[in-house]
Amino acid sequence: MSTWAQLGYLAAAVCFILSLKGLSSPRTARVGNLLGATGAVLACVITFYEYDVDNLNAILIAVAVGTVAGVVGARMVKMTQMPQLVALFNGVGGGAAALVALLELVPLEGDPDPKLAALIAVGFTVFVGSVSFAGSMVTFAKLQELMTTRPVLFPALPVVFGVTLVAGVALAVDVVVNPLIWVGAVLSVVGLLFGVLLVLPVGGADVPIVISLLNALTGLAVAASGYVLENSLLLVGGTLVGASGTFLTRLMAQAMGRSLANILFGALRGGSTLGGGEVSDRPVKSAGPTDVAILLGYAQRVIIVPGYGLAVAQAQHTLRDLVDVLGSRGITVDYAIHPVAGRMPGHMNVLLAEAQVPYEQLKEMDSINGEFKQADVALVVGANDVVNPAAKSTPGAPIYGMPILNVDEAHRIVFMKRSMRPGFAGIENELLFDPKTTLLFGDARDSLSKLLSAVKSL
Amino acid sequence: MGSEIALLTIFVLSVFTGVEVISKVSSTLHTPLMSGANAIHGVILVGAIIVTGHADTLGELVFGLFAVLLATVNMVGGFVVTDRMLEMFKGRKKQEPAS
């Protein structure tokens, strides 16, 4: 490779580093992302010029089709569907890495003295890329609710899982010893199967962490294929994503008070990550929109806890209107955002940003938790597990140890819920039966618009 | 220094860089960060172009083009969707003086 091309790759790698750095802070995030895109375009242009590329027209057509598909997909998707789109994009990236690795195997097949490290990297990429592809597709299906969001388990699953993993490792070793393309193809099929089995037993609430993990895996697969091609940029880009993705996965798991092993294999071990999911028939106090409107309208301090139910009902715009009306009555209103509220960590911030909620009203858990004591009303909209005191008080509960919002310290609590069905973790919330709690049943958007007109007419 | 050791050095240093640059991320930005990182591994497009550019048989070409297609969707879609998320954060910032 010529020196200028190497320098160009270096510039692109620096763009990627600065991009991740920029994405870590709200002020620089957008510039950071654009910088990353610039680096990626630069890298492609250099590759076209520098490598002796045959089949140029066909490749350019494939790039054009991919660009159109990517832009249309990214532009059309609703903000609530963002997580599954990220899963999908991650999956196709993993698939591409696996295909590239299989094609790298072709010259190695005829090589009388192939490099051991390159063969290991190929075996790794084929397997991990396939796992990431299939795993992401199952994740997509779960988030899109094309299939159940509950863990899928069958009695033989641990055995099948173990056999598949052993077969995958054995075949990866076989690729290293006998670099044959058909062995690689079989390895990739086993990888696909393993990816499906890995994600099936994961419950809906844990899916975001799995996306993040698969994202990191794809990064590592890309890095490994960079090693085979002796391409420094693929190596740097892939490794950056692999390392930062692994770190991010850990941050997310910590926010949920769970270990990664527990999330992935909890259901496999039989110690289910779910509670009974039973609906209790204990008495609760429920009220209509008018009563809740009075409660809110004459409060001085209201804290809103938005959750996944708000996102599903697409009620964030109505909620924002309600907060505006309350604000015009001189009531101080804040949103308490749990780190894992919504379907991906930080998802709630994106959804509320879409509804143009002012930034200073969004409070992170650590800064708002001390303020619940002063709150007259805590309004919980479609959240459950993130306010469940069982996380503090019941050792052995599936969510025990997860940091929660201290809603139980507010003077009055209003839960807006669709039904008495427990949250994703499937455990009952004691708070629902607390004497200071009022329940408002119904679809979040429907209830909020009734509440809105009731507050307006106070 | 052999090229393999040089590549290994790059790998190890990149691991530390990757962790270091995001170590102070606020949970507000976890989703865009995941999405942005997702777009960056779309750089596998470079690898797809290289192997497809050397494809000798029709089979290799077909698989290679498919890899190019998938990698482009990953890269382009990833950056565009991340920008869309971040655009909203910016819109909100503009509103701050008004509210």
Side-chain angles (χ1 to χ4, degrees), chain A residues 157-302:
Chain A
L157 184 62
V159 178
V160 180
F161 188 83
V163 169
T164 316
L165 181 59
V166 171
V169 173
L171 280 163
V173 172
D174 197 19
V175 166
V176 175
V177 183
N178 306 304
L180 298 171
I181 191 79
W182 70 265
V183 182
V186 176
L187 174 62
S188 128
V189 172
V190 173
L192 293 175
L193 183 62
F194 185 74
V196 172
L197 293 173
L198 183 69
V199 182
L200 274 185
V202 175
D206 294 334
V207 161
I209 296 190
V210 174
I211 302 179
S212 177
L213 181 71
L214 292 174
N215 188 32
L217 282 181
T218 309
L220 290 179
V222 170
S225 71
Y227 190 86
V228 182
L229 293 169
E230 301 199 349
N231 185 301
S232 58
L233 182 65
L234 283 184
L235 184 61
V236 174
T239 310
L240 283 175
V241 177
S244 63
T246 309
F247 188 76
L248 188 60
T249 309
R250 260 192 61 216
L251 284 183
M252 291 178 186
Q254 271 168 5
M256 297 179 79
R258 308 266 305 273
S259 75
L260 198 54
N262 183 264
I263 288 166
L264 288 176
F265 308 119
L268 274 185
R269 277 201 302 256
S272 171
T273 54
L274 284 178
E278 281 156 22
V279 179
S280 161
D281 52 2
R282 285 159 69 191
V284 292
K285 190 168 63 180
S286 76
T290 333
D291 302 312
V292 176
I294 291 169
L295 212 55
L296 290 174
Y298 295 99
Q300 285 173 352
R301 181 92 172 86
V302 173

Side-chain angles (χ1 to χ4, degrees), chain A residues 27-119:
Chain A
R27 257 182 305 117
T28 52
R30 200 161 180 212
V31 177
N33 184 55
L34 291 177
L35 209 54
T38 312
V41 171
L42 177 67
C44 292
V45 171
I46 290 174
T47 308
F48 275 120
Y49 270 100
E50 184 61 21
Y51 283 85
D52 188 20
V53 178
D54 298 334
N55 314 312
L56 187 60
N57 289 336
I59 292 177
L60 287 176
I61 290 172
V63 168
V65 173
T67 304
V68 172
V71 170
V72 169
R75 285 269 146 210
M76 301 295 278
V77 69
K78 288 198 203 99
M79 276 295 144
T80 40
Q81 294 173 328
M82 200 63 83
Q84 46 266 54
L85 191 73
V86 173
L88 194 66
F89 286 157
N90 178 56
V92 295
L99 284 174
V100 169
L102 279 175
L103 290 170
E104 286 163 353
L105 199 52
V106 175
L108 289 170
E109 197 176 32
D111 193 336
D113 184 26
K115 279 185 195 154
L116 182 66
L119 288 172

